[in-house]
Amino acid sequence: MEYTAEVMDHFSNPRNVGTIEDASGIGTVGNAQCGDIMKIYLKIENDTVEDAKFKTFGCGAAVATSSIATELIIGKTIAEALQITNKKVMDALGGLPSTKVHCSLLAEEALHAAFWDYAQKNDLTIEGVKPPQEHEH
Amino acid sequence: MLYFDNAATTPIREEAFQAMLPFLRGRYGNPSAVYSLAREARKAIEEARKNVARAIGADANEIVFTSGGTEANNWVLTALKNFEKKPHIITSSIEHHAVLHVCQGLEKDGLADITYLPVDKNGFVSPKDLSAAIRADTRLISIMWANNEIGTIQPISELAKIAKDNGILFHSDAVQAVGHIPVDMTAIPADFLTISAHKFGGPKAVGTLYIRKGNKLSPFIRGGAQERNRRAGTENVAGIVGMGAAIKSAQIGLAQENQRLSGLRDTLIDLIEENIPKSKLNGPRGNDRLPGNVNFTFDYIEGESMLLLLDMNGCAASSGSACSSASLEPSHVLMALGVTHEHAHGSIRFSLGKINKEEDLDALMTFLPKIVTQLRAMSPLAE
């Protein structure tokens, strides 16, 4: 199993690590049983992602997908950010080993979970947001 | 390069390398042939057999060369199905996959009933549990001598005696023990023993199944009369010669090396415990732990990311966690100790060997605490 240079770059110099005090939405996915836990914090203003931060417990790919996912959505409108699929996360990283594809799915789900949380808190309905779900990764 | 993965494999010993060379070049004769070129190879194999036998207190006839530890384990466990319809086998829940997966395969194919004994929080099998698990149809007990992940050395003498007293065959996967700690088959009433050469400075892909005199196993690999009809296939002459030379060299300094490595092990344990908060040693302390084994869980950190950062610092170690499939399997050994998934996913093994010196530990400690801090800063569990 080998990681691309992009994965190693995002793993060793992860972007946007941290938390947001007054986050508009927080999404947590995965569990310790799976070995990956991803938590994404969003700051949303005027329908736009002003800032995104993450904390991740997991393998190199889990860290890299969290890092790139936050990078991809900052500055985007909610509708644009929801276009970020696991495929786009993978493409941005130059691919992932087949056994690590689930990490990119986790990143997509973490984004949706954070937007879902934002919608719940603000009593909004956002087109295309998937609610967080319990599953085994 | 800081190499702390000696339980995975070891660099080849100079004595073994030198002994092998002639058989990779000029002395290419097939040991089964009659001419003098072949007899040289035959003689070298028999010399290696004596070296292996001597190292474990066995008779040369009791040593059969295999392609490694995995083959030896497969052989013992699957040969049993030839004895009767569906025998009962007792093993432990912390065996290497080369035993565990064979047992699971037998179970799945309906060829054997298996009992997996639990272990205590330090990885020990209880002799009481073993006695209680014995049934009228129990034919084999297979318990590893020492654990590859957490270094637990089992009370093998006691366990083997229980088997003998009950008239049951006893096998031990001694891959982590032979060449590292004393293994004396005159003192332990075990019937079968698995040995792997590359764990003590021998070449890869060669090992031994010790078969105590009086025990007959039907061959696992058929197709020739090699190894006195017990294991077919033209012998891996260079490999066998290398194994013989390596075990001889390992035995010569075993007591001193054992003491030196135990010292290094305890120093590293102290250094980690003193310098890294929330680090937990997995496995026992003291003489019941393999001399080169150190295994820690650093709270809130996952194993693979740790290994990647260690590698970036030129350090090779290993993790029990295998985040490599859709269903992520934490180490079965750690889980058997009764720890949480989170704990099991975060274990890191540093296994020390002949090539490690005290200064390696100081070098490791220049970056290990930093890596832990860096990953904890990223972990949602540390909040």
Side-chain angles (χ1 to χ4, degrees):
Chain A
M1 187 202 72
E2 200 153 345
Y3 287 134
T4 63
E6 289 90 340
V7 172
M8 287 314 288
D9 176 36
H10 276 272
F11 168 70
S12 48
N13 300 297
R15 284 43 142 193
N16 309 310
V17 173
T19 59
I20 296 173
E21 281 290 310
D22 53 341
S24 322
I26 301 173
T28 307
V29 292
N31 57 53
Q33 195 167 345
C34 315
D36 291 306
I37 301 172
M38 219 176 262
K39 195 167 182 183
I40 287 186
Y41 300 77
L42 299 177
K43 178 86 194 151
I44 298 168
E45 266 162 42
N46 304 322
D47 259 9
T48 302
V49 180
E50 290 295 323
D51 197 9
K53 297 269 187 220
F54 81 90
K55 287 236 172 164
T56 290
F57 166 88
C59 62
V63 173
T65 54
S66 321
S67 168
I68 193 103
T70 55
E71 203 170 64
L72 288 171
I73 60 163
I74 292 175
K76 297 262 187 353
T77 64
I78 294 174
E80 285 166 349
L82 286 170
Q83 300 302 309
I84 310 294
T85 59
N86 83 299
K87 171 113 191 3
K88 287 190 177 148
V89 166
M90 287 224 295
D91 289 347
L93 290 171
L96 283 174
S98 58
T99 54
K100 300 289 187 181
V101 171
H102 67 279
C103 294
S104 63
L105 278 165
L106 210 57
E108 181 186 322
E109 286 165 15
L111 290 182
H112 278 265
F115 284 117
W116 177 266
D117 182 48
Y118 167 69
Q120 294 294 102
K121 280 177 179 156
N122 295 281
D123 223 0
L124 299 169
T125 307
I126 303 175
E127 187 84 16
V129 176
K130 291 174 249 172
Q133 45 188 323
E134 277 295 311
H135 52 75
E136 297 276 308
H137 264 288
Chain B
M1 165 82 173
L2 288 171
Y3 186 74
F4 294 125
D5 207 13
N6 291 277
T9 196
T10 55
I12 201 156
R13 286 170 188 265
E14 184 60 23
E15 297 90 329
F17 179 68
Q18 291 301 338
M20 290 169 78
L21 280 179
F23 295 93
L24 293 166
R25 292 197 291 224
R27 300 189 187 175
Y28 51 80
N30 186 320
S32 298
V34 293
Y35 36 81
S36 61
L37 184 69
R39 288 201 305 270
E40 281 176 2
R42 163 65 44 214
K43 208 177 142 221
I45 288 176
E46 296 318 317
E47 188 56 41
R49 199 185 308 279
K50 279 184 206 150
N51 285 338
V52 175
R54 216 172 282 136
I56 61 165
D59 193 87
N61 288 336
E62 297 173 313
I63 304 299
V64 184
F65 291 112
T66 66
S67 66
T70 300
E71 182 190 322
N73 286 338
N74 270 267
W75 185 5
V76 172
L77 293 160
T78 59
L80 212 59
K81 69 176 190 283
N82 298 318
F83 289 17
E84 59 191 272
K85 218 166 161 56
K86 200 178 179 190
H88 176 236
I89 297 175
I90 302 172
T91 187
S92 85
S93 50
I94 63 165
E95 296 296 310
H96 188 275
H97 284 150
V99 166
L100 220 46
H101 287 177
V102 183
C103 287
Q104 287 161 358
L106 287 170
E107 225 175 358
K108 195 167 153 253
D109 295 342
L111 297 171
D113 268 349
I114 316 279
T115 296
Y116 303 92
L117 294 177
V119 293
D120 70 11
K121 65 180 173 41
N122 285 321
F124 292 105
V125 169
S126 138
K128 263 190 202 154
D129 286 349
L130 176 60
S131 296
I134 292 172
R135 313 192 316 208
D137 60 344
T138 307
R139 293 291 172 268
L140 179 71
I141 296 168
S142 178
I143 309 282
M144 71 198 321
W145 200 291
N147 184 269
N148 49 309
E149 285 189 38
I150 54 172
T152 310
I153 300 172
Q154 298 296 343
I156 284 294
S157 180
E158 215 175 327
L159 299 173
K161 197 169 173 301
I162 291 170
K164 190 175 164 44
D165 290 349
N166 286 275
I168 299 165
L169 295 170
F170 188 87
H171 165 249
S172 183
D173 175 356
V175 156
Q176 296 290 338
V178 172
H180 300 284
I181 56 174
V183 171
D184 181 4
M185 298 312 282
T186 63
I188 308 284
D191 299 281
F192 311 106
L193 194 78
T194 294
I195 310 175
S196 168
H198 74 104
K199 304 293 189 186
F200 51 78
K204 291 166 182 65
V206 57
T208 290
L209 181 64
Y210 159 89
I211 305 175
R212 188 179 290 279
K213 206 170 288 172
N215 286 310
K216 252 185 99 66
L217 278 188
S218 60
F220 181 60
I221 292 182
R222 297 168 197 271
Q226 292 88 354
E227 297 295 282
R228 296 167 66 233
N229 286 311
R230 290 176 294 184
R231 201 280 189 182
T234 298
E235 298 87 339
N236 172 7
V237 183
I240 289 169
V241 168
M243 180 173 190
I247 203 163
K248 190 176 172 186
S249 150
Q251 286 302 117
I252 289 169
L254 194 128
Q256 290 98 313
E257 182 61 1
N258 191 330
Q259 203 178 359
R260 186 187 77 90
L261 280 181
S262 301
L264 283 188
R265 173 197 68 197
D266 294 341
T267 303
L268 181 56
I269 291 173
D270 289 346
L271 281 169
I272 290 176
E273 288 182 333
E274 280 162 22
N275 292 290
I276 305 180
K278 298 195 177 184
S279 51
K280 297 191 182 89
L281 181 73
N282 296 310
R285 288 172 200 267
N287 292 336
D288 290 335
R289 185 180 193 109
L290 281 173
N293 178 288
V294 176
N295 185 313
F296 269 94
T297 290
F298 301 102
D299 280 0
Y300 320 130
I301 292 180
E302 190 273 345
E304 190 205 279
S305 49
M306 184 87 183
L307 293 185
L308 289 170
L309 289 180
L310 286 170
D311 183 42
M312 285 178 192
N313 284 277
C315 170
S318 93
S319 159
S321 170
C323 166
S324 60
S325 66
S327 80
L328 301 173
E329 294 292 337
S331 150
H332 68 282
V333 176
L334 271 287
M335 290 307 291
L337 305 183
V339 303
T340 63
H341 278 90
E342 181 190 322
H343 184 107
H345 274 296
S347 74
I348 300 286
R349 179 187 70 187
F350 299 96
S351 48
L352 312 172
K354 188 171 174 281
I355 57 168
N356 296 117
K357 305 272 175 288
E358 179 127 26
E359 50 263 37
D360 293 354
L361 307 185
D362 300 328
L364 172 65
M365 293 312 291
T366 61
F367 53 82
L368 184 62
K370 281 185 219 160
I371 289 177
V372 171
T373 306
Q374 182 184 339
L375 287 171
R376 280 184 181 159
M378 215 190 284
S379 173
L381 299 173
E383 281 168 12

